[in-house]
Amino acid sequence: MKNKTSFPPREGEAQPSRCPDNSAFKQQRLPAWKPQLTIASVLSSFFLTGAFCLTVGVCLVLSANSVREIQVDYSDKCSDCSKLRENSSNWNKECHCSVNFTLKEDILGDVFMYYGLQNFYQNHRRYVISRSDAQLLGRNVNIQRSYCAPFSTYKNGTPMAPCGAIANSMFNDTIDLFYSLNSSVIQVPLLKTGNSWWTDKNVKFRNPESYNLSSAFAGTARPPYWQKPVYLLDEEDERNNGFVNDDFIIWMRVSAFATFRNLYRRVRRVRPFAEGLPAGNYTFSIAYNFPVARFKGRKHVILSTVVWSGGSNPFLGIAYLVSGTAATLTGFVITGIHLKLRKKKTYFQKQ
């Protein structure tokens, strides 16, 4: 490529100007606002911020404390099933256990059932990326090119559906709730749909297109730790089966902490549970399938209500209280420094 040679302007020709255009933007003549930080404005901002955060924090803490919640740990009470599940050769053997508890007071309103896991780390990088979002959208993709390995295909080449470590470790205990009423036992009706986010159910997860689910997943196999294929997760409801199963969708949203809870069921408000859960004796009937002893974990079942600020989690309220306290203390410190410097200035002026 030839270099272009620049020649000086001929005599009589005007030399082009290299100055910016004479506009308000390029000449920096646009109107601007420059705050004047006086002692009054600074102190008022700190004290107003502190008052706002303290007020919101108190409201959030009081709201979180008003949540009715009962938590039952069944890790030790189902120890026989736990020992059975630690041996991988017993994967096809069923094991059931029961946990009794008593509600001393009524739990009014909508009641939500959660399962909780302790010491289960879902925030490991290899674990978090071990999934195929394209497969979960129902697309026919080559999962060997995804991050699902080693839970992508079997030795004979059969792909897993769904693939990845997250799906393979899905929580699969079955929990039912029974209520003892006048020497009779009533099963509490639980809703297993409508628990996941709308965007997950309708956007991020889709089943492959076919005339039925079994043919849609033909040529694939269940993950190694699953007891049944993905198209049989909910045999009673076709709209809650396959990749769009609520339990599966909720599990695929990994937690940032080692101790977490996931929504499992909601109590259906029909008689005699139209107002919530009445006081009395209850029993959790659990089909134990998810082993936790190997990684020293614990399992819980939580019954809880919710309020306008969410569930029983005071973290946000405490964060507001800490921020408000810090802002208020900072305002007092600045006030003290200002008064001290003003006294010194007055003293030197008198001298």
Side-chain angles (χ1 to χ4, degrees):
M1 181 182 294
K2 296 182 179 179
N3 295 328
K4 293 183 178 180
T5 305
S6 59
F7 298 96
R10 297 178 182 178
E11 186 177 355
E13 291 184 359
Q15 186 175 1
S17 175
R18 301 181 62 184
C19 296
D21 296 337
N22 188 20
S23 62
F25 176 75
K26 292 187 177 181
Q27 296 297 334
Q28 300 183 10
R29 294 196 302 267
L30 291 176
W33 176 72
K34 184 178 180 180
Q36 299 295 329
L37 297 179
T38 62
I39 187 64
S41 62
V42 172
L43 290 179
S44 61
S45 63
F46 273 103
F47 285 122
L48 288 176
T49 302
F52 172 78
C53 291
L54 289 174
T55 303
V56 175
V58 169
C59 294
L60 290 175
V61 170
L62 293 177
S63 176
N65 291 336
S66 66
V67 173
R68 293 292 310 280
E69 179 176 300
I70 180 172
Q71 181 170 305
V72 178
D73 188 329
Y74 65 95
S75 304
D76 297 331
K77 297 178 181 180
C78 298
S79 57
D80 293 338
C81 292
S82 177
K83 294 177 181 178
L84 180 71
R85 284 288 171 257
E86 291 304 317
N87 189 349
S88 59
S89 61
N90 298 324
W91 67 271
N92 58 344
K93 296 181 180 180
E94 295 184 358
C95 189
H96 297 265
C97 60
S98 300
V99 180
N100 300 321
F101 66 97
T102 302
L103 287 182
K104 297 181 180 180
E105 298 179 357
D106 297 345
I107 300 182
L108 302 178
D110 294 328
V111 182
F112 299 82
M113 179 188 292
Y114 301 84
Y115 62 85
L117 290 177
Q118 183 177 344
N119 207 37
F120 189 91
Y121 290 86
Q122 288 189 311
N123 55 5
H124 193 281
R125 179 178 178 274
R126 288 289 301 276
Y127 182 89
V128 171
I129 65 175
S130 183
R131 59 187 293 165
S132 174
D133 292 322
Q135 184 195 48
L136 297 176
L137 282 171
R139 300 172 183 172
N140 186 13
V141 295
N142 183 6
I143 61 175
Q144 290 183 343
R145 297 180 180 179
S146 65
Y147 294 103
C148 288
F151 302 103
S152 55
T153 59
Y154 286 93
K155 293 182 180 180
N156 59 2
T158 304
M160 300 180 189
C163 71
I166 306 176
N168 184 58
S169 61
M170 176 181 168
F171 183 85
N172 57 351
D173 283 359
T174 302
I175 307 172
D176 294 315
L177 181 61
F178 294 89
Y179 173 55
S180 299
L181 177 64
N182 299 329
S183 69
S184 61
V185 179
I186 303 174
Q187 184 172 3
V188 180
L190 301 175
L191 297 173
K192 56 185 176 181
T193 58
N195 300 324
S196 60
W197 293 9
W198 184 91
T199 51
D200 288 345
K201 187 82 171 181
N202 298 275
V203 178
K204 295 183 179 181
F205 293 83
R206 296 176 185 173
N207 287 323
E209 295 182 359
S210 183
Y211 61 92
N212 59 35
L213 278 182
S214 59
S215 62
F217 290 99
T220 63
R222 59 176 176 82
Y225 291 172
W226 285 29
Q227 297 177 328
K228 51 187 176 181
V230 66
Y231 55 85
L232 294 179
L233 289 179
D234 189 353
E235 302 179 49
E236 300 176 358
D237 189 353
E238 184 77 13
R239 297 171 298 178
N240 189 43
N241 213 345
F243 290 155
V244 295
N245 176 263
D246 273 40
D247 293 337
F248 173 70
I249 291 174
I250 292 173
W251 177 259
M252 293 300 291
R253 185 176 291 276
V254 297
S255 173
F257 300 99
T259 299
F260 61 93
R261 64 176 63 179
N262 284 336
L263 181 59
Y264 182 67
R265 296 289 184 267
R266 291 177 294 128
V267 175
R268 185 180 180 187
R269 298 182 64 175
V270 295
R271 293 291 179 182
F273 310 103
E275 302 297 327
L277 290 180
N281 297 321
Y282 290 83
T283 301
F284 282 124
S285 178
I286 302 168
Y288 199 105
N289 298 308
F290 194 85
V292 295
R294 185 167 297 179
F295 55 88
K296 298 180 181 180
R298 311 285 299 180
K299 293 194 291 186
H300 308 82
V301 185
I302 303 104
L303 294 174
S304 176
T305 59
V306 295
V307 290
W308 62 271
S309 61
S312 179
N313 188 358
F315 174 79
L316 186 59
I318 294 174
Y320 269 100
L321 289 177
V322 172
S323 301
T325 303
T328 305
L329 291 177
T330 304
F332 281 117
V333 170
I334 294 176
T335 302
I337 295 173
H338 171 69
L339 294 177
K340 186 176 181 180
L341 293 178
R342 189 172 64 175
K343 288 182 179 179
K344 286 185 177 181
K345 183 178 180 181
T346 305
Y347 173 78
F348 285 116
Q349 286 177 352
K350 291 181 179 180
Q351 294 296 325

